[in-house]
Amino acid sequence: MLQTVSIKVTPTQESKLNTVDWENLPFGKVFSDHMLVMDYKDGAWQDAEIVPFGPIPMHPAMSAIHYGQSIFEGMKANKSASGDVLIFRPDMNAKRFRESSERMCMPVIPEDMFVELVRKAVEVESNWIPSREGYSLYIRPFLFATDEFIGIKPSETYKFMIFMCPVGAYYNEPVNVKIEEFYTRASEGGVGRAKTAGNYGASLFPARLGQQKGYHQLLWTDGKTHEYVEESGTMNVVFVIDGKLVTPSEDSDTILRGVTKRSVVDLAKAWGMPVEERRVTVQEIVEANRNGTLTEAFGAGTAATIAHIAKIGYRDGDLVLPAIETRTFSQKVLAHLDDLKTGKIPDTMGWMLKV
Ligand SMILES: *Cc1c(COP(=O)(O)O)cnc(C)c1O
């Protein structure tokens, strides 16, 4: 049972709906009319409100900007042909948000309440869901520390917000990634498993070095030996080697537990494909590419869903992967996920939340 939350809605006086170019949406630059705000103070969550989208006042000493207690989530909503509004697995994001809060010493939003807040926000913005194929309403819940105080301790006040962006494709082409053997995204005992702001700030410089060499993203390796593949900047990584689905296991706390990757693994198993979630070495990827058993590689994440990897940069060369047209599994899983999100096929896994 979902917890019912009463939410005051203050509608905007000036909708931006008809200013949007619905045929040509960039990712993350168009914001819908409303946002949800819920404060935490005196040891309790206050009433959530949905208000017109806009700037928020900020004290210069607001602790999130100085000390980084800040976490976020990302998920998507779509509309089916019959007009149903569907959100993809928000319960998984609710769980990860709770885990991120715990790791960052922030107050927890009960998972059912998180889902209900997301549902309500999407309900209010349901006419912001694009209908063009491959487009969606991206949902960004986030929580940050708001104490006006200089000193390192967990904040006593926080702000939780949700805003939404109608979005087009994240990548318009297959991606090239570079195996990173010097910089580290996450180390054991660190915060790699949490979707916390600093992880992304820390990755920008090494990612830029990769971009200067023509790679869209890095393929991170473990911080200790750089011998094991971990994940990419905002995507988990999945390989098809010798007909088996191979992906780095999430047992190490250095890898973000992606909802998309989990769904890909669940579908592969349901379709009878062998799945290996285990440590994956860089050398085995190089070797599988050399002997022709590495037939597919892709990133899995909410923003891109499935991003085919065309090339993997390794040291001074590139591992060139087979043509996209030959990638039977990734094409099938991408089509399946798209059809599920838009209600074209029955939701046998019980993944979709109908708003
Ligand atoms: C968000 C994210 C992912 C993908 O997770 P999804 O739940 O599939 O969107 C993977 N890796 C990192 C580092 C991320 O931040």
Side-chain angles (χ1 to χ4, degrees):
M1 264 305 278
L2 287 180
Q3 180 170 338
T4 42
V5 203
S6 77
I7 301 175
K8 185 178 158 216
V9 181
T10 309
T12 179
Q13 295 304 308
E14 229 179 317
S15 173
K16 293 171 291 185
L17 262 176
N18 50 27
T19 65
V20 176
D21 178 2
W22 293 97
E23 291 307 307
N24 193 12
L25 280 168
F27 197 95
K29 291 188 180 162
V30 177
F31 300 90
S32 74
D33 279 334
H34 300 92
M35 59 188 190
L36 181 142
V37 185
M38 182 172 77
D39 289 329
Y40 182 90
K41 63 175 183 192
D42 304 326
W45 291 107
Q46 309 298 302
D47 289 342
E49 270 194 68
I50 292 176
V51 297
F53 181 88
I56 46 173
M58 190 175 80
H59 190 281
M62 184 177 81
S63 68
I65 33 178
H66 297 269
Y67 308 118
Q69 269 189 303
S70 182
I71 61 170
F72 65 97
E73 268 304 328
M75 65 197 98
K76 278 179 173 172
N78 286 92
K79 231 177 228 173
S80 74
S82 57
D84 287 338
V85 172
L86 303 168
I87 309 177
F88 187 69
R89 307 191 80 175
D91 52 316
M92 298 277 283
N93 299 87
K95 176 169 181 280
R96 190 169 64 196
F97 199 70
R98 174 177 60 71
E99 290 166 353
S100 296
S101 320
E102 285 166 352
R103 179 63 182 83
M104 298 304 290
C105 231
M106 300 166 89
V108 162
I109 300 181
E111 291 172 36
D112 54 355
M113 181 165 142
F114 178 96
V115 171
E116 175 57 12
L117 294 171
V118 168
R119 194 197 66 76
K120 187 75 192 176
V122 171
E123 185 176 64
V124 169
E125 291 311 53
S126 58
N127 50 9
W128 278 89
I129 302 175
S131 45
R132 187 172 165 173
E133 192 162 324
Y135 283 30
S136 332
L137 186 69
Y138 182 83
I139 309 160
R140 169 52 59 89
F142 57 113
L143 172 67
F144 56 97
T146 53
D147 273 9
E148 300 162 0
F149 169 76
I150 292 299
I152 313 236
K153 68 172 183 63
S155 181
E156 284 167 15
T157 62
Y158 295 84
K159 201 178 272 298
F160 172 72
M161 301 182 65
I162 303 174
F163 65 67
M164 287 153 279
C165 297
V167 295
Y170 194 74
Y171 292 114
N172 294 308
E173 50 182 5
V175 297
N176 300 328
V177 299
K178 177 180 168 287
I179 293 179
E180 178 57 52
E181 293 186 284
F182 176 70
Y183 293 101
T184 298
R185 189 193 88 91
S187 52
E188 271 175 58
V191 292
R193 185 180 284 171
K195 222 168 167 77
T196 184
N199 282 340
Y200 306 86
S203 73
L204 295 176
F205 179 72
R208 177 192 278 166
L209 297 179
Q211 282 151 12
Q212 286 166 350
K213 293 186 172 165
Y215 299 95
H216 297 88
Q217 288 224 5
L218 298 177
L219 188 50
W220 296 104
T221 53
D222 71 291
K224 220 178 257 173
T225 65
H226 297 291
E227 284 173 19
Y228 297 93
V229 175
E230 298 223 302
E231 63 174 314
S232 206
T234 55
M235 303 185 296
N236 296 108
V237 64
V238 183
F239 304 96
V240 177
I241 304 174
D242 211 6
K244 290 182 290 229
L245 197 80
V246 177
T247 186
S249 101
E250 295 168 342
D251 294 347
S252 121
D253 65 0
T254 55
I255 297 180
L256 194 105
R257 294 178 159 179
V259 178
T260 316
K261 197 274 271 286
R262 180 60 33 218
S263 307
V264 166
V265 165
D266 291 348
L267 287 172
K269 286 180 179 164
W271 296 337
M273 185 169 183
V275 176
E276 294 181 2
E277 291 190 73
R278 54 169 172 80
R279 299 198 87 182
V280 180
T281 63
V282 173
Q283 278 320 310
E284 96 174 85
I285 299 303
V286 172
E287 180 53 30
N289 177 251
R290 186 181 300 139
N291 68 25
T293 52
L294 177 64
T295 52
E296 307 186 32
F298 59 90
T302 296
T305 311
I306 300 295
H308 302 293
I309 296 175
K311 271 196 310 194
I312 303 177
Y314 178 57
R315 301 199 173 156
D316 292 327
D318 282 323
L319 315 181
V320 179
L321 277 78
I324 307 300
E325 305 79 68
T326 65
R327 313 229 186 148
T328 338
F329 176 77
S330 33
Q331 305 273 16
K332 180 178 172 189
V333 82
L334 175 57
H336 190 91
L337 288 170
D338 281 346
D339 288 351
L340 200 55
K341 291 177 186 176
T342 47
K344 289 191 192 117
I345 52 172
D347 175 22
T348 50
M349 300 282 208
W351 284 348
M352 307 308 299
L353 174 74
K354 198 161 133 184
V355 169

Short mmCIF file of all heavy atoms in Angstrom, two decimals, residues 262-308:
data_model
loop_
_atom_site.label_atom_id
_atom_site.label_comp_id
_atom_site.label_asym_id
_atom_site.label_seq_id
_atom_site.Cartn_x
_atom_site.Cartn_y
_atom_site.Cartn_z
N ARG A 262 20.00 -3.72 -13.79
CA ARG A 262 19.27 -4.80 -13.10
C ARG A 262 18.15 -5.34 -14.00
O ARG A 262 17.94 -6.54 -14.10
CB ARG A 262 18.70 -4.26 -11.76
CG ARG A 262 17.93 -5.23 -10.91
CD ARG A 262 18.68 -6.46 -10.44
NE ARG A 262 20.09 -6.24 -10.20
CZ ARG A 262 21.06 -7.11 -10.49
NH1 ARG A 262 20.77 -8.29 -11.01
NH2 ARG A 262 22.31 -6.81 -10.27
N SER A 263 17.48 -4.43 -14.70
CA SER A 263 16.38 -4.83 -15.57
C SER A 263 16.90 -5.64 -16.76
O SER A 263 16.28 -6.63 -17.17
CB SER A 263 15.60 -3.60 -16.05
OG SER A 263 15.23 -2.81 -14.94
N VAL A 264 18.04 -5.22 -17.29
CA VAL A 264 18.66 -5.95 -18.41
C VAL A 264 19.02 -7.37 -17.97
O VAL A 264 18.76 -8.35 -18.67
CB VAL A 264 19.92 -5.19 -18.90
CG1 VAL A 264 20.77 -6.06 -19.81
CG2 VAL A 264 19.53 -3.89 -19.61
N VAL A 265 19.60 -7.48 -16.78
CA VAL A 265 19.99 -8.79 -16.26
C VAL A 265 18.74 -9.66 -16.04
O VAL A 265 18.71 -10.83 -16.43
CB VAL A 265 20.79 -8.63 -14.94
CG1 VAL A 265 20.90 -9.94 -14.18
CG2 VAL A 265 22.18 -8.06 -15.23
N ASP A 266 17.70 -9.07 -15.45
CA ASP A 266 16.46 -9.83 -15.21
C ASP A 266 15.86 -10.33 -16.53
O ASP A 266 15.39 -11.47 -16.61
CB ASP A 266 15.43 -8.96 -14.48
CG ASP A 266 15.83 -8.65 -13.04
OD1 ASP A 266 16.78 -9.28 -12.54
OD2 ASP A 266 15.20 -7.77 -12.41
N LEU A 267 15.87 -9.48 -17.55
CA LEU A 267 15.30 -9.89 -18.83
C LEU A 267 16.15 -10.98 -19.48
O LEU A 267 15.61 -11.96 -20.00
CB LEU A 267 15.18 -8.68 -19.77
CG LEU A 267 14.05 -7.69 -19.41
CD1 LEU A 267 14.13 -6.43 -20.27
CD2 LEU A 267 12.68 -8.35 -19.55
N ALA A 268 17.47 -10.81 -19.44
CA ALA A 268 18.35 -11.83 -20.03
C ALA A 268 18.07 -13.19 -19.40
O ALA A 268 17.94 -14.20 -20.09
CB ALA A 268 19.81 -11.43 -19.84
N LYS A 269 17.96 -13.20 -18.06
CA LYS A 269 17.68 -14.47 -17.36
C LYS A 269 16.33 -15.02 -17.79
O LYS A 269 16.20 -16.22 -18.05
CB LYS A 269 17.71 -14.26 -15.85
CG LYS A 269 19.12 -14.07 -15.30
CD LYS A 269 19.10 -13.87 -13.80
CE LYS A 269 20.51 -13.70 -13.25
NZ LYS A 269 20.51 -13.12 -11.88
N ALA A 270 15.33 -14.14 -17.87
CA ALA A 270 13.99 -14.57 -18.26
C ALA A 270 13.99 -15.15 -19.69
O ALA A 270 13.20 -16.03 -20.00
CB ALA A 270 13.00 -13.41 -18.16
N TRP A 271 14.89 -14.66 -20.52
CA TRP A 271 14.98 -15.15 -21.90
C TRP A 271 15.92 -16.35 -22.04
O TRP A 271 16.24 -16.78 -23.14
CB TRP A 271 15.46 -14.02 -22.83
CG TRP A 271 14.49 -12.87 -22.92
CD1 TRP A 271 13.15 -12.90 -22.64
CD2 TRP A 271 14.79 -11.51 -23.31
NE1 TRP A 271 12.60 -11.65 -22.84
CE2 TRP A 271 13.57 -10.78 -23.25
CE3 TRP A 271 15.95 -10.85 -23.70
CZ2 TRP A 271 13.49 -9.43 -23.57
CZ3 TRP A 271 15.88 -9.50 -24.02
CH2 TRP A 271 14.66 -8.80 -23.95
N GLY A 272 16.43 -16.81 -20.91
CA GLY A 272 17.26 -18.02 -20.94
C GLY A 272 18.70 -17.79 -21.34
O GLY A 272 19.41 -18.74 -21.71
N MET A 273 19.15 -16.57 -21.26
CA MET A 273 20.55 -16.30 -21.61
C MET A 273 21.42 -16.48 -20.36
O MET A 273 21.04 -16.03 -19.28
CB MET A 273 20.64 -14.86 -22.08
CG MET A 273 22.00 -14.45 -22.60
SD MET A 273 21.80 -12.85 -23.40
CE MET A 273 23.44 -12.60 -24.01
N PRO A 274 22.57 -17.13 -20.48
CA PRO A 274 23.44 -17.25 -19.30
C PRO A 274 23.95 -15.86 -18.86
O PRO A 274 24.31 -15.05 -19.72
CB PRO A 274 24.61 -18.11 -19.78
CG PRO A 274 24.23 -18.62 -21.13
CD PRO A 274 23.15 -17.76 -21.67
N VAL A 275 23.92 -15.60 -17.55
CA VAL A 275 24.35 -14.30 -17.03
C VAL A 275 25.46 -14.52 -16.02
O VAL A 275 25.35 -15.39 -15.16
CB VAL A 275 23.17 -13.56 -16.35
CG1 VAL A 275 23.65 -12.26 -15.72
CG2 VAL A 275 22.04 -13.30 -17.34
N GLU A 276 26.54 -13.76 -16.16
CA GLU A 276 27.60 -13.81 -15.15
C GLU A 276 27.79 -12.43 -14.56
O GLU A 276 28.26 -11.52 -15.24
CB GLU A 276 28.91 -14.30 -15.81
CG GLU A 276 28.81 -15.74 -16.28
CD GLU A 276 30.11 -16.25 -16.90
OE1 GLU A 276 31.11 -15.49 -16.94
OE2 GLU A 276 30.10 -17.41 -17.37
N GLU A 277 27.44 -12.29 -13.29
CA GLU A 277 27.73 -11.06 -12.57
C GLU A 277 28.92 -11.38 -11.68
O GLU A 277 28.80 -12.14 -10.73
CB GLU A 277 26.53 -10.62 -11.73
CG GLU A 277 25.35 -10.16 -12.56
CD GLU A 277 24.27 -9.49 -11.71
OE1 GLU A 277 24.47 -8.36 -11.25
OE2 GLU A 277 23.23 -10.13 -11.50
N ARG A 278 30.05 -10.81 -12.03
CA ARG A 278 31.29 -11.17 -11.34
C ARG A 278 32.32 -10.09 -11.64
O ARG A 278 32.03 -9.14 -12.36
CB ARG A 278 31.79 -12.52 -11.86
CG ARG A 278 31.94 -12.54 -13.40
CD ARG A 278 32.68 -13.78 -13.86
NE ARG A 278 32.69 -13.95 -15.30
CZ ARG A 278 33.50 -13.32 -16.14
NH1 ARG A 278 34.38 -12.44 -15.68
NH2 ARG A 278 33.44 -13.53 -17.44
N ARG A 279 33.51 -10.24 -11.10
CA ARG A 279 34.56 -9.29 -11.45
C ARG A 279 34.96 -9.53 -12.90
O ARG A 279 35.06 -10.67 -13.35
CB ARG A 279 35.76 -9.45 -10.53
CG ARG A 279 35.40 -9.20 -9.07
CD ARG A 279 36.63 -8.94 -8.23
NE ARG A 279 36.98 -7.51 -8.27
CZ ARG A 279 38.05 -7.00 -7.66
NH1 ARG A 279 38.89 -7.78 -6.99
NH2 ARG A 279 38.29 -5.71 -7.71
N VAL A 280 35.15 -8.46 -13.64
CA VAL A 280 35.50 -8.56 -15.05
C VAL A 280 36.83 -7.85 -15.25
O VAL A 280 36.95 -6.67 -14.92
CB VAL A 280 34.41 -7.88 -15.92
CG1 VAL A 280 34.75 -7.97 -17.40
CG2 VAL A 280 33.03 -8.49 -15.66
N THR A 281 37.82 -8.57 -15.79
CA THR A 281 39.12 -7.91 -15.95
C THR A 281 39.20 -7.20 -17.30
O THR A 281 38.56 -7.59 -18.27
CB THR A 281 40.30 -8.92 -15.87
OG1 THR A 281 40.18 -9.84 -16.96
CG2 THR A 281 40.31 -9.67 -14.56
N VAL A 282 40.02 -6.16 -17.32
CA VAL A 282 40.29 -5.45 -18.57
C VAL A 282 40.90 -6.44 -19.57
O VAL A 282 40.52 -6.47 -20.74
CB VAL A 282 41.27 -4.28 -18.30
CG1 VAL A 282 41.70 -3.64 -19.62
CG2 VAL A 282 40.64 -3.25 -17.37
N GLN A 283 41.81 -7.29 -19.08
CA GLN A 283 42.50 -8.22 -19.98
C GLN A 283 41.54 -9.18 -20.67
O GLN A 283 41.72 -9.51 -21.84
CB GLN A 283 43.59 -9.01 -19.23
CG GLN A 283 44.88 -8.22 -19.08
CD GLN A 283 45.26 -7.40 -20.33
OE1 GLN A 283 45.29 -7.90 -21.46
NE2 GLN A 283 45.55 -6.11 -20.14
N GLU A 284 40.50 -9.60 -19.96
CA GLU A 284 39.59 -10.54 -20.62
C GLU A 284 38.77 -9.84 -21.70
O GLU A 284 38.41 -10.45 -22.70
CB GLU A 284 38.72 -11.27 -19.59
CG GLU A 284 37.36 -10.69 -19.34
CD GLU A 284 36.51 -11.56 -18.42
OE1 GLU A 284 36.65 -11.41 -17.20
OE2 GLU A 284 35.72 -12.36 -18.93
N ILE A 285 38.52 -8.55 -21.53
CA ILE A 285 37.80 -7.79 -22.56
C ILE A 285 38.70 -7.63 -23.79
O ILE A 285 38.27 -7.84 -24.93
CB ILE A 285 37.36 -6.40 -22.02
CG1 ILE A 285 36.41 -6.56 -20.83
CG2 ILE A 285 36.73 -5.55 -23.11
CD1 ILE A 285 35.17 -7.37 -21.11
N VAL A 286 39.96 -7.31 -23.54
CA VAL A 286 40.93 -7.17 -24.64
C VAL A 286 41.05 -8.50 -25.38
O VAL A 286 40.98 -8.55 -26.63
CB VAL A 286 42.32 -6.75 -24.07
CG1 VAL A 286 43.39 -6.79 -25.16
CG2 VAL A 286 42.22 -5.36 -23.45
N GLU A 287 41.16 -9.58 -24.62
CA GLU A 287 41.34 -10.91 -25.21
C GLU A 287 40.07 -11.34 -25.99
O GLU A 287 40.16 -11.84 -27.11
CB GLU A 287 41.66 -11.92 -24.09
CG GLU A 287 41.88 -13.35 -24.53
CD GLU A 287 42.92 -13.50 -25.65
OE1 GLU A 287 43.85 -12.67 -25.73
OE2 GLU A 287 42.76 -14.44 -26.48
N ALA A 288 38.89 -11.09 -25.40
CA ALA A 288 37.63 -11.47 -26.06
C ALA A 288 37.43 -10.66 -27.34
O ALA A 288 36.86 -11.16 -28.32
CB ALA A 288 36.45 -11.27 -25.12
N ASN A 289 37.92 -9.42 -27.33
CA ASN A 289 37.84 -8.62 -28.56
C ASN A 289 38.78 -9.19 -29.61
O ASN A 289 38.43 -9.31 -30.79
CB ASN A 289 38.20 -7.16 -28.24
CG ASN A 289 38.21 -6.29 -29.48
OD1 ASN A 289 39.26 -5.87 -29.93
ND2 ASN A 289 37.05 -6.02 -30.04
N ARG A 290 39.96 -9.61 -29.16
CA ARG A 290 40.96 -10.14 -30.10
C ARG A 290 40.48 -11.45 -30.73
O ARG A 290 40.59 -11.64 -31.94
CB ARG A 290 42.28 -10.36 -29.35
CG ARG A 290 43.43 -10.76 -30.28
CD ARG A 290 44.73 -10.98 -29.50
NE ARG A 290 45.17 -9.78 -28.80
CZ ARG A 290 45.67 -9.76 -27.56
NH1 ARG A 290 45.78 -10.89 -26.87
NH2 ARG A 290 46.05 -8.63 -27.00
N ASN A 291 39.88 -12.34 -29.90
CA ASN A 291 39.49 -13.62 -30.47
C ASN A 291 38.05 -13.65 -31.00
O ASN A 291 37.52 -14.71 -31.36
CB ASN A 291 39.75 -14.77 -29.48
CG ASN A 291 38.83 -14.69 -28.25
OD1 ASN A 291 37.74 -14.12 -28.31
ND2 ASN A 291 39.28 -15.26 -27.14
N GLY A 292 37.42 -12.49 -31.02
CA GLY A 292 36.11 -12.39 -31.68
C GLY A 292 34.92 -12.83 -30.86
O GLY A 292 33.80 -12.89 -31.36
N THR A 293 35.12 -13.13 -29.56
CA THR A 293 33.97 -13.55 -28.74
C THR A 293 33.25 -12.37 -28.10
O THR A 293 32.14 -12.52 -27.60
CB THR A 293 34.39 -14.55 -27.65
OG1 THR A 293 35.48 -13.99 -26.92
CG2 THR A 293 34.79 -15.89 -28.25
N LEU A 294 33.87 -11.19 -28.10
CA LEU A 294 33.19 -9.99 -27.57
C LEU A 294 32.30 -9.45 -28.67
O LEU A 294 32.75 -8.73 -29.56
CB LEU A 294 34.21 -8.94 -27.13
CG LEU A 294 33.63 -7.61 -26.62
CD1 LEU A 294 32.82 -7.81 -25.35
CD2 LEU A 294 34.75 -6.59 -26.36
N THR A 295 31.03 -9.81 -28.61
CA THR A 295 30.14 -9.45 -29.72
C THR A 295 29.35 -8.17 -29.45
O THR A 295 28.91 -7.51 -30.37
CB THR A 295 29.16 -10.60 -30.01
OG1 THR A 295 28.52 -10.97 -28.80
CG2 THR A 295 29.90 -11.79 -30.61
N GLU A 296 29.16 -7.83 -28.16
CA GLU A 296 28.39 -6.63 -27.84
C GLU A 296 28.94 -6.00 -26.57
O GLU A 296 29.45 -6.70 -25.68
CB GLU A 296 26.90 -6.97 -27.61
CG GLU A 296 26.26 -7.76 -28.74
CD GLU A 296 24.76 -7.96 -28.56
OE1 GLU A 296 24.09 -7.08 -27.98
OE2 GLU A 296 24.26 -9.01 -29.01
N ALA A 297 28.81 -4.68 -26.47
CA ALA A 297 29.10 -3.96 -25.23
C ALA A 297 28.20 -2.74 -25.22
O ALA A 297 28.01 -2.11 -26.26
CB ALA A 297 30.57 -3.54 -25.18
N PHE A 298 27.63 -2.47 -24.06
CA PHE A 298 26.77 -1.29 -23.99
C PHE A 298 26.72 -0.74 -22.57
O PHE A 298 27.01 -1.43 -21.60
CB PHE A 298 25.36 -1.60 -24.50
CG PHE A 298 24.62 -2.70 -23.78
CD1 PHE A 298 23.81 -2.44 -22.69
CD2 PHE A 298 24.73 -4.03 -24.20
CE1 PHE A 298 23.11 -3.45 -22.04
CE2 PHE A 298 24.04 -5.05 -23.55
CZ PHE A 298 23.24 -4.76 -22.47
N GLY A 299 26.38 0.54 -22.50
CA GLY A 299 26.14 1.17 -21.21
C GLY A 299 24.65 1.09 -20.93
O GLY A 299 23.83 1.17 -21.85
N ALA A 300 24.30 0.92 -19.64
CA ALA A 300 22.89 0.84 -19.25
C ALA A 300 22.63 1.89 -18.17
O ALA A 300 23.27 1.87 -17.11
CB ALA A 300 22.56 -0.56 -18.72
N GLY A 301 21.72 2.81 -18.46
CA GLY A 301 21.38 3.85 -17.48
C GLY A 301 20.08 4.52 -17.89
O GLY A 301 19.70 4.47 -19.07
N THR A 302 19.42 5.14 -16.94
CA THR A 302 18.11 5.75 -17.22
C THR A 302 18.17 6.77 -18.35
O THR A 302 17.31 6.76 -19.23
CB THR A 302 17.59 6.44 -15.94
OG1 THR A 302 17.38 5.42 -14.96
CG2 THR A 302 16.29 7.17 -16.20
N ALA A 303 19.16 7.63 -18.34
CA ALA A 303 19.20 8.72 -19.32
C ALA A 303 19.29 8.17 -20.74
O ALA A 303 18.52 8.55 -21.61
CB ALA A 303 20.36 9.66 -19.03
N ALA A 304 20.23 7.23 -20.97
CA ALA A 304 20.44 6.72 -22.32
C ALA A 304 19.69 5.41 -22.58
O ALA A 304 19.60 4.99 -23.73
CB ALA A 304 21.93 6.50 -22.55
N THR A 305 19.16 4.78 -21.55
CA THR A 305 18.62 3.41 -21.57
C THR A 305 19.74 2.43 -21.97
O THR A 305 20.43 1.92 -21.10
CB THR A 305 17.39 3.23 -22.48
OG1 THR A 305 16.46 4.28 -22.19
CG2 THR A 305 16.70 1.90 -22.21
N ILE A 306 19.93 2.21 -23.28
CA ILE A 306 21.01 1.34 -23.72
C ILE A 306 21.87 2.17 -24.67
O ILE A 306 21.37 2.70 -25.66
CB ILE A 306 20.45 0.13 -24.51
CG1 ILE A 306 19.49 -0.72 -23.66
CG2 ILE A 306 21.59 -0.73 -25.09
CD1 ILE A 306 20.11 -1.41 -22.47
N ALA A 307 23.14 2.34 -24.35
CA ALA A 307 24.04 3.08 -25.24
C ALA A 307 25.05 2.09 -25.81
O ALA A 307 25.94 1.61 -25.09
CB ALA A 307 24.74 4.19 -24.47
N HIS A 308 24.88 1.76 -27.08
CA HIS A 308 25.82 0.83 -27.72
C HIS A 308 27.23 1.42 -27.67
O HIS A 308 27.41 2.60 -27.95
CB HIS A 308 25.45 0.63 -29.19
CG HIS A 308 24.06 0.11 -29.38
ND1 HIS A 308 23.67 -1.15 -28.99
CD2 HIS A 308 22.96 0.70 -29.90
CE1 HIS A 308 22.39 -1.32 -29.28
NE2 HIS A 308 21.93 -0.21 -29.83
#
